[in-house]
Amino acid sequence: MSGRLKAAGGAVGGGLLVAGTTSDAGKSVVTAGICRWLVRQGVRVAPFKAQNMSLNSFVTREGAEIGRAQAMQAAAARVEPTALMNPVLLKPGSDRSSQVVLLGKPVGELSARGYFGGTSQGKAQYAGRREQLLGTVTDCLQELRRTHDAVICEGAGSPAEINLRRTDIVNMGLARAARIPAVVVGDIDRGGVFASFFGTTALLSKEDQALVAGYMVNKFRGDVTLLEPGLAMLRGLTGRQTLGVLPFAHGLGIDEEDGLRVSLRGAVRESVVAPPHGADVLRVAVCAVPLMSNFTDVDALAAEPGVVVRFVDRPEELADADLVVLPGTRGTVRALAWLRERGLADAIARRAAAGRPVLGICGGFQMLGERIEDEVESKAGVVDGLGLLPVRVRFAAEKTLARPAGQALGEPVEGYEIHHGVAEVTGGDEAFISDDQGRSLDGCRAGSVWGTHWHGSLESDGFRRAFLRRVAADAGRAFVPAPDTRFGVLREEQLDRLGDLIEEHADTGALLRLIEEGVPEGLPFVPPGAP
């Protein structure tokens, strides 16, 4: 490892931008893999994403909200996630508007036109806003580079989105401001990867192209020697080498950002369902509500041997489910209307009346209550909930962001809270989560219906096993949770596999040179360039 990579005495550490030919090309996975590979080499590394659009978010220990992908990348780098790693987070509330979270705190709602400046007046307003945001993100990146040997930055979408280049602060706009090289990732499983690499480069301005140092192929299947002639021709056309061909591998996706990357009628991720530890499997149906957020909450269930998790959007798909989960959502009232329109609300009510288990998490918990008063998110006023839990919810202007801990079902449990809704629990059979004195901290249970605001609680191994035992008993299933499933260990193994991909299939020497030495000289211009 070159000593030049070590930041000492306040020196600025190295940097690299991982861009992509498209959304979901593999930027998050490659960034996490590079972070894990570097930290195994003894490098102090941090992830960074200047601007993220995601409904999957996380709360740092200082109470800041950031994208879950950056939290997982921080885990890959073995550092504590902070707001510096994702200074701008956009949380869609509709097709045209998003909540803007700046340095971990919500600062308001903006339409896409208002954010990117679609009118002449909007353009003038955004010019100042973009300068301010660019200053904020470069300051955050500078601070991370000052305190780490290397910072691996993740881009967003494609750097060749020419309609957005003027307002870009996350792709080449960031690379230009910070003078860091970029590697472009392409998903060959989609097809057309050579055209994507060439077209992405050729649509960038001369100044932007000067920072594009190479390419990385993701999700390749087959004999890599068959790809090599194309890679040689690509280098001849662009003057840039391919720095790695990563093979297709199942189950490597870390927490997604922009949406549900599985079929609504398919299994969670691409993981293979392990055989049950007991005599029965346990079937979990997750209602795929609109604006679903933090659906990663059910990953811990999917990791349990014998637990089969699927996402559903029709009432008949609940018939054979042993547990129905109502997940979080950025639009609680909208999701509630969707449940009613599709007949899912009635199906869930029938389940509850028959004593069959239902779990609501965050927005799902709120929907299970008696009444929702919302003048903040939907501005719908007072709306009837499903009436399955003795809870009344009022939306507050200030968002709750917390990392609480407590006890549930006799086991320690941790989680994180991200919600505007304030729940008043007026009854129930028992509190869901309590402190060590037995005082209620969050949620409640009424019959076989459970609800909590705490995301991530199912990642607590002892609590998850205890909860699944209760679910199996209520569902009449001879399901037994495996005694040795440790979700944190499985996450670490997954991140190590990402590091292995980089170590075994990327040109690590070339990556190190880019991080240490910056942009190489003499990269050729590929015409025509940006229009």
Side-chain angles (χ1 to χ4, degrees):
M1 181 67 61
S2 168
R4 286 174 297 178
L5 193 57
K6 298 293 182 181
V12 174
L16 180 71
L17 172 68
V18 179
T21 58
T22 63
S23 295
D24 202 33
K27 297 183 293 291
S28 296
V29 166
V30 170
T31 300
I34 294 175
C35 285
R36 176 50 58 100
W37 163 67
L38 283 172
V39 76
R40 293 196 307 209
Q41 311 307 310
V43 176
R44 295 175 299 166
V45 58
F48 180 77
K49 185 159 186 174
Q51 175 183 290
N52 195 351
M53 179 171 283
S54 177
L55 287 172
N56 281 340
S57 58
F58 183 75
V59 179
T60 67
R61 294 211 177 274
E62 74 266 32
E65 186 178 8
I66 65 172
R68 274 205 59 109
Q70 280 61 65
M72 287 304 302
Q73 290 162 356
R78 295 180 180 147
V79 295
E80 188 68 30
T82 73
L84 293 174
M85 297 173 184
N86 180 205
V88 181
L89 173 63
L90 305 177
K91 301 195 72 175
S94 70
D95 292 339
R96 297 191 175 187
S97 68
S98 294
Q99 183 181 67
V100 181
V101 180
L102 184 63
L103 292 175
K105 303 297 180 182
V107 295
E109 296 273 342
L110 273 180
S111 68
R113 180 177 292 271
Y115 187 80
F116 292 107
T119 65
S120 58
Q121 181 182 7
K123 291 175 183 176
Q125 291 174 341
Y126 189 83
R129 186 183 304 130
R130 178 189 178 277
E131 289 181 6
Q132 183 180 19
L133 288 176
L134 183 60
T136 297
V137 301
T138 54
D139 286 348
C140 291
L141 177 56
Q142 184 78 356
E143 177 63 17
L144 288 174
R145 294 179 74 182
R146 188 184 66 81
T147 54
H148 295 80
D149 304 327
V151 179
I152 309 303
C153 307
E154 180 188 344
S158 163
E161 290 168 351
I162 54 179
N163 58 315
L164 300 178
R165 176 59 185 92
R166 176 182 53 82
T167 59
D168 172 45
I169 61 172
V170 64
N171 291 308
M172 303 315 296
L174 176 71
R176 288 264 293 273
R179 295 301 303 169
I180 57 174
V183 173
V184 179
V185 177
D187 180 357
I188 198 170
D189 202 46
R190 295 172 179 235
V193 74
F194 293 116
S196 297
F197 284 143
F198 182 86
T200 296
T201 308
L203 276 177
L204 300 178
S205 69
K206 183 176 182 180
E207 294 78 10
D208 286 351
Q209 285 192 30
L211 300 177
V212 176
Y215 311 111
M216 191 172 292
V217 176
N218 190 31
K219 297 185 183 177
F220 179 72
R221 306 172 192 250
D223 185 349
V224 73
T225 61
L226 299 176
L227 193 65
E228 289 171 352
L231 300 179
M233 286 185 276
L234 180 67
R235 182 166 188 174
L237 289 166
T238 67
R240 292 156 174 86
Q241 64 176 322
T242 297
L243 303 177
V245 178
L246 308 183
F248 186 96
H250 287 280
L252 286 183
I254 65 171
D255 297 347
E256 279 103 343
E257 296 179 348
D258 301 323
L260 189 60
R261 303 300 186 192
V262 295
S263 164
L264 293 181
R265 296 175 182 84
V268 171
R269 303 290 186 270
E270 298 165 320
S271 57
V272 176
V273 177
H277 186 72
D280 279 351
V281 298
L282 204 67
R283 296 173 176 85
V284 179
V286 185
C287 294
V289 297
L291 298 173
M292 181 165 41
S293 61
N294 289 69
F295 53 81
T296 48
D297 283 332
V298 299
D299 281 0
L301 295 179
E304 281 285 348
V307 175
V308 182
V309 179
R310 65 186 188 273
F311 290 87
V312 304
D313 58 359
R314 297 195 303 246
E316 57 267 27
E317 294 176 301
L318 305 186
D320 67 342
D322 302 306
L323 171 66
V324 170
V325 177
L326 288 180
T329 171
R330 173 82 165 84
T332 302
V333 171
R334 176 179 168 183
L336 189 55
W338 181 88
L339 289 175
R340 288 180 167 132
E341 289 165 2
R342 289 179 171 255
L344 284 159
D346 289 339
I348 292 169
R350 289 192 296 271
R351 286 184 61 87
R356 302 178 67 192
V358 177
L359 169 66
I361 302 174
C362 199
F365 169 41
Q366 296 166 7
M367 287 186 277
L368 290 171
E370 298 168 345
R371 186 182 72 187
I372 298 170
E373 183 181 342
D374 181 12
E375 299 291 350
V376 176
E377 190 175 76
S378 69
K379 297 181 173 57
V382 177
V383 177
D384 288 337
L386 297 178
L388 302 180
L389 286 176
V391 175
R392 297 176 181 177
V393 176
R394 178 184 56 82
F395 274 65
E398 185 174 348
K399 181 185 284 190
T400 297
L401 297 170
R403 287 276 295 274
Q407 295 183 354
L409 301 180
E411 298 286 347
V413 60
E414 296 181 353
Y416 57 99
E417 294 183 72
I418 307 170
H419 54 92
H420 284 279
V422 179
E424 177 190 2
V425 179
T426 60
D429 298 319
E430 64 178 299
F432 197 144
I433 302 172
S434 305
D435 63 14
D436 55 6
Q437 302 298 314
R439 293 172 297 215
S440 176
L441 292 177
D442 183 78
C444 68
R445 176 184 70 84
S448 60
V449 181
W450 305 73
T452 177
H453 271 128
W454 290 20
H455 294 291
S457 60
L458 293 167
E459 296 179 15
S460 298
D461 296 329
F463 163 67
R464 183 180 64 255
R465 287 192 280 268
F467 178 69
L468 289 176
R469 282 193 289 269
R470 291 283 291 267
V471 168
D474 287 347
R477 291 283 185 185
F479 169 84
V480 179
D484 55 354
T485 302
R486 298 167 61 194
F487 188 72
V489 171
L490 294 175
R491 281 288 200 198
E492 275 295 298
E493 290 174 354
Q494 184 185 44
L495 293 172
D496 272 332
R497 290 177 65 197
L498 295 179
D500 293 343
L501 273 183
I502 298 300
E503 185 170 349
E504 296 168 10
H505 301 282
D507 187 339
T508 54
L511 289 175
L512 276 178
R513 286 191 295 275
L514 289 176
I515 296 169
E516 291 179 338
E517 301 171 10
V519 183
E521 297 289 336
L523 291 172
F525 172 68
V526 180

